[in-house]
């Protein structure tokens, strides 16, 4: 298999410089700098507590960095609130999904469509239409009318995914969308993610399933105790003795 062709002129969508987050003096993310270009997928791996979700929170705007910069489309967005970052085209999934209570699956995703890029779609009818399409796409087409809080684990992941896609993102941040899925479901989600690549979309995919990361990522970044210890093509990173030591050792079988 050959690597996907990349034009040298690929534009950077998201960049961090020296990004750091401290909680009560403990460093969760330590001086992390990286970039993702248009049409590029960055896989992010690392043990639990490595700082992966904290990194996503600083990019999506739910946490303020202690130090460093978040740069989107060439502009510093440290002080831009989360809802405006959504308008800019930054969408994320939550690791632990809390659907809006009392709302149907369709309504949950319609909210994504209404608050997405460029302020979202302009009418509820359009939002519902868009929601319906993305729910079909993620395999939830038959469940649009049920209460979102009645969904089981894998379907909640699909809902999260549909909601993020309905925002028409330029940067999609996926935080462990495959956790708890069986191998067949993992393959389905991998295919879904592959099918949305292109059209300028930049993706950051946090995942523990190494096979999925290998097949999805143009590059893989490894976080360990909040620090970036590797950032290279998937084969190089997944064969790196330091990465195996820090993370992969028990997972290789
Ligand atoms: N809101 C918070 N307050 C205090 N500590 C936090 C908070 N969020 C994350 N942490 C700490 O930051 C570290 C990194 O957590 P996290 O980013 O969730 O890791 P990962 O997603 O890689 O498992 C952990 O030690 C965690 O306990
Ligand atoms: Mg996490």
């Amino acid at each position: 298999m050959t690597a996907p062709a990349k034009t040298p002129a690929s534009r950077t969508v998201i960049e961090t410089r020296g990004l750091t987050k401290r909680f009560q003096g403990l460093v969760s993310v330590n001086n992390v700098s990286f970039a993702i270009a248009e049409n590029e997928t960055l896989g992010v791996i690392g043990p639990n507590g490595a700082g992966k979700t904290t990194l996503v929170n600083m990019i999506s705007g739910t946490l303020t960095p202690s130090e460093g910069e978040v740069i989107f489309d060439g502009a510093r967005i440290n002080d831009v609130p989360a809802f405006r970052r959504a308008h800019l085209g930054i969408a994320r999934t939550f690791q632990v999904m809390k659907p809006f209570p009392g709302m149907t699956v369709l309504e949950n995703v319609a909210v994504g469509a209404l608050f997405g890029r460029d302020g979202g779609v302009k009418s509820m009818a359009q939002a519902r239409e868009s929601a319906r399409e993305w729910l079909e796409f993620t395999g939830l087409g038959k469940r649009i009318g049920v209460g979102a809080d009645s969904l089981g684990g894998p379907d909640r992941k699909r809902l999260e995914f549909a909601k993020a896609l309905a925002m028409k993102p330029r940067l999609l941040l996926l935080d462990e969308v495959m956790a708890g899925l069986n191998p067949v479901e993992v393959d389905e989600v991998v295919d879904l993610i592959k099918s949305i690549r292109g059209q300028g979309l930049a993706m950051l995919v946090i995942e523990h399933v190494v096979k999925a990361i290998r097949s999805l990522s143009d590059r893989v970044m490894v976080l360990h105790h909040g620090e970036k210890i590797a950032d290279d093509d998937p084969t190089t990173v997944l064969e790196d003795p330091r990465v195996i030591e820090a993370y992969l050792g028990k997972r290789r079988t």
Side-chain angles (χ1 to χ4, degrees):
M1 228 165 70
T2 51
K6 268 207 240 89
T7 54
S10 281
R11 264 185 19 183
T12 299
V13 174
I14 185 74
E15 186 183 351
T16 70
R17 293 187 193 152
L19 208 57
T20 297
K21 184 67 188 178
R22 289 187 205 88
F23 294 107
Q24 285 102 36
L26 293 173
V27 187
S28 293
V29 172
N30 195 358
N31 195 26
V32 171
S33 302
F34 74 96
I36 313 176
E38 285 181 335
N39 299 321
E40 191 176 36
T41 302
L42 176 72
V44 178
I45 60 174
N48 285 330
K52 305 180 296 295
T53 298
T54 303
L55 185 66
V56 161
N57 286 338
M58 287 191 281
I59 296 171
S60 64
T62 47
L63 279 177
T64 308
S66 306
E67 281 169 41
E69 291 185 302
V70 182
I71 296 156
F72 183 77
D73 254 351
R76 186 181 190 274
I77 59 165
N78 284 44
D79 303 317
V80 176
F83 78 95
R84 285 206 193 286
R85 295 192 201 192
H87 291 178
L88 292 173
I90 300 177
R92 59 90 56 90
T93 64
F94 285 88
Q95 195 173 353
V96 181
M97 200 232 169
K98 297 181 206 85
F100 299 120
M103 284 169 68
T104 65
V105 165
L106 185 77
E107 288 162 347
N108 265 267
V109 178
V111 169
L114 286 168
F115 291 94
R117 184 162 147 201
D118 301 329
V121 298
K122 299 298 170 234
S123 74
M124 195 60 199
Q126 273 177 291
R128 285 170 164 274
E129 187 49 40
S130 163
R132 200 169 277 120
E133 282 168 22
W134 287 117
L135 285 162
E136 283 295 336
F137 179 77
T138 56
L140 272 181
K142 292 202 166 57
R143 313 221 57 199
I144 58 173
V146 307
D149 28 19
S150 74
L151 294 182
D155 281 348
R156 284 186 183 215
K157 299 283 178 186
R158 290 192 181 95
L159 178 61
E160 274 285 275
F161 199 19
K163 194 155 83 181
L165 289 170
M167 295 172 78
K168 294 202 168 66
R170 295 203 47 228
L171 171 65
L172 180 58
L173 306 160
L174 299 175
D175 194 355
E176 298 198 24
V177 288
M178 298 172 207
L181 303 187
N182 69 37
V184 174
E185 292 165 337
V186 165
D187 287 345
E188 284 169 10
V189 174
V190 166
D191 287 344
L192 278 182
I193 295 173
K194 282 183 173 170
S195 69
I196 56 170
R197 282 200 291 216
Q199 296 168 2
L201 183 66
M203 279 194 276
L204 185 157
V205 181
I206 297 174
E207 209 48 69
H208 284 301
V209 184
V210 171
K211 186 175 150 227
I213 282 288
R214 190 190 289 276
S215 106
L216 283 174
S217 308
D218 298 305
R219 269 165 44 230
V220 176
M221 173 164 85
V222 185
L223 291 184
H224 187 47
H225 298 312
E227 289 180 29
K228 178 169 110 168
I229 63 164
D231 181 352
D232 212 327
D233 66 85
T235 306
T236 305
V237 168
L238 297 169
E239 304 292 322
D240 181 336
R242 285 183 318 152
V243 173
I244 293 166
E245 167 84 15
Y247 176 60
L248 291 173
K250 295 194 193 88
R251 294 176 178 273
R252 303 202 88 214
T253 47

